[in-house]
Amino acid sequence: MSIVSTLLRARDAEGGHNVAFGLIAVALAAAVFYVDTYTDIEGAIAVLYVVIMLLAAQATTRVGLFVIAAACAALTLLSYAMTHGDDADLQSTTRLIVALAALFVTTMLLVKTETARLTLLAINSALKESEARYRSIFDRTRVALWERDYSKLRSYLMDVRAQGVTDIKTHARTNPTFVDHCIGLIKVVAANEAAREMLGPESSAVGSLRRSFITGQERFLDVVQAIMDGERVFEDMAEVRADNGEDKLVLLSIAFPEDPAAFNRVVVSMVDITQREMALKALAEAQAELTMASRAATVGAMSASLAHELNQPLGAIVVNSQTLLRWLDRDPPDLAAVRRSAERMIRDSQRASDIIQNTRGLLSPSNNKLESISLDRLIDETMALMEHELQRSGTTVHIERKAHIPPVSAVKIELQQVLINLLTNAIQAMDEARSPQRIIRIATARPDIDHVSIAVRDTGPGITDDVKDKLFAPFFTTKAAGMGMGLSICRTTLEARGGKLDGTNHHDGGAIFEMSLLIKPEVEHA
């Protein structure tokens, strides 16, 4: 749209010209011309044409102003010619110049004012169109949207920060009414239909914000912290509760404006991902069940295979042992026969050992090649795999990264399985103990020139004295549905690569498990 058409539309929107002002201006112009021409009054009567211009400005366009100004100037010159054409003097000429100058200046100012007025009308019209488009998008989109007024909350948070507060969660723990006070400062300006469908009419009603975040308010405090820190965008997953009591998992997104004055209209969006997360959870549970069934089948197959393969050499050892005793019972003992029986026993024992070694080799297939692994990347990828379980349990993970940790030469899947097992054990320990703080700390270190380590510490109840000695024993478990093989397999896996796994209690509480890894193992399989 061109600026000209916009200005014309703005002028047309006024509803036409004011005829009354026009008639008054015409009458006044005639009166001024008559007085200036046919009376003996001395003075710059023509200056009164300025009043005519002011009246005409209410009833005409910019072009009309120029026409009227030209007409007034023509009347002024005509009057001057009729009254002073033959005997013009300096005084009358000066009055003429003053009148024309006043008329010109007034016309320019009125044109400028008219242009500014029409421009303002055009801008206002464009703003109305933009607001209408925005409102149409806001109301019709299927994403749940709210407009909320965060201005009072931001002002309050700036006052809190001025008092030296930087950690909102710590401040909230020492001030139990802080969260409710902050929620009370937020007002809902508008909500679209999708928002009302997601949380219900009460949570989307215009007015004070209704508490919708599920118990704990952790995500709300994260939003408050983002406002205090001056962040422009906040995005995270959060659990919310609808008016009907249904809990939903949503992707929350808030765009904060740069201008503090614009915090009275902040757009908040939520996308319901409950069904997607339920599907992912069901898939993860199915995979876990399949893995457990596979492991059980593997254990059963291995047990049957070992029983079958070991039966013959063990039976031969028993027979040779009985034969050896009979040769020893002779008088005198037949030492040559005893020696042959002992040699056969050694042979059969070695055969049994070979069977066990071959079976163990199935657990460490030769196609698992060593590769260079960054511990930071390993931890990040494992956190991504564990994201759903950590969110489900409400567990926070703090990672303490040590600088200049070299990569290790290992099998990535093995280290990942060990780390997942340790994290899972930590989550389950805090679940069973109902720990008030659910925090896992992962720290990397380099204890010496040949080793690096990963320590996993939780805030659970720790390891009891009666469990410490049997912690890594196969088939020992403190869980009702546990198999007691997790920690045993983890330690065996690390030891097979020249590493080790230890577990103890931390002096500040909770259990801590440390994986020690060789940076460059000398052999691929121990």
Side-chain angles (χ1 to χ4, degrees), residues 24-241:
I24 293 173
V26 171
L28 185 58
V32 171
F33 179 77
Y34 177 82
V35 171
D36 190 28
T37 307
Y38 297 106
T39 67
D40 297 332
I41 299 175
E42 295 291 338
I45 300 301
V47 172
L48 294 177
Y49 283 118
V50 169
V51 178
I52 296 168
M53 295 299 302
L54 294 175
L55 291 172
Q58 308 299 318
T60 187
T61 63
R62 288 182 301 167
V63 175
L65 284 174
F66 284 115
V67 172
I68 294 172
C72 290
L75 290 175
T76 302
L77 292 172
L78 177 61
S79 178
Y80 178 80
M82 293 174 64
T83 56
H84 302 287
D86 297 330
D87 56 348
D89 55 15
L90 179 62
Q91 186 176 6
S92 61
T93 302
T94 301
R95 289 198 298 268
L96 173 64
I97 293 172
V98 169
L100 291 176
L103 191 61
F104 175 77
V105 171
T106 302
T107 301
M108 291 300 100
L109 291 175
L110 288 175
V111 169
K112 183 178 181 180
T113 301
E114 179 69 2
T115 301
R117 185 179 72 87
L118 292 178
T119 301
L120 184 61
L121 288 174
I123 293 173
N124 185 57
S125 177
L127 285 176
K128 286 183 178 179
E129 290 181 1
S130 177
E131 176 68 18
R133 286 194 299 269
Y134 164 76
R135 186 56 54 188
S136 176
I137 295 172
F138 182 88
D139 290 334
R140 296 179 183 178
T141 183
R142 296 313 302 158
V143 177
L145 297 175
W146 288 262
E147 279 187 334
R148 294 177 181 173
D149 184 351
Y150 282 89
S151 56
K152 292 183 179 179
L153 175 60
R154 184 187 180 279
S155 178
Y156 171 67
L157 292 177
M158 295 303 102
D159 293 338
V160 171
R161 188 173 67 176
Q163 298 171 10
V165 176
T166 57
D167 189 338
I168 286 297
K169 291 185 178 180
T170 301
H171 181 70
R173 282 194 291 269
T174 57
N175 296 271
T177 61
F178 175 77
V179 171
D180 289 332
H181 180 66
C182 288
I183 292 177
L185 295 176
I186 303 173
K187 303 296 181 183
V188 177
V189 179
N192 66 359
E193 184 61 30
R196 289 187 285 272
E197 291 177 1
M198 176 182 287
L199 295 185
E202 185 178 346
S203 296
S204 305
V206 174
S208 298
L209 181 67
R210 179 180 177 273
R211 181 190 292 265
S212 58
F213 286 105
I214 290 180
T215 306
Q217 303 296 320
E218 292 297 318
R219 287 297 175 269
F220 178 76
L221 290 175
D222 289 339
V223 174
V224 173
Q225 185 73 61
I227 297 175
M228 175 178 280
D229 294 342
E231 296 182 10
R232 291 289 165 259
V233 177
F234 177 86
E235 289 185 345
D236 205 344
M237 285 191 290
E239 288 185 285
V240 295
R241 182 161 290 158

Side-chain angles (χ1 to χ4, degrees), residues 15 40 65 103 118 137 174 207 238 258 262 266 272 289 309 336 339 366 377 407 416 427 500:
D40 297 332
L65 284 174
L103 191 61
L118 292 178
I137 295 172
T174 57
E258 293 186 12
V266 176
D272 190 351
E289 291 177 1
E309 294 293 335
R339 182 180 182 85
S366 57
R377 189 176 304 153
Q416 209 165 55
I427 293 172
K500 62 179 181 178

Side-chain angles (χ1 to χ4, degrees), residues 233 371 381 430 446:
V233 177
E371 56 183 308
E381 292 179 359
M430 292 185 289
R446 187 175 184 178

Side-chain angles (χ1 to χ4, degrees), residues 393 426-439 459-461:
S393 61
I427 293 172
Q428 292 174 350
M430 292 185 289
D431 276 342
E432 293 177 0
R434 300 180 183 273
S435 301
Q437 281 191 327
R438 306 176 61 79
I439 299 173
T459 54

Side-chain angles (χ1 to χ4, degrees), residues 271-298:
V271 178
D272 190 351
I273 57 174
T274 307
Q275 296 299 323
R276 187 195 75 176
E277 291 302 311
M278 289 178 62
L280 290 176
K281 181 181 178 182
L283 177 61
E285 290 176 350
Q287 289 175 336
E289 291 177 1
L290 179 61
T291 300
M292 182 174 292
S294 176
R295 288 177 179 174
T298 300

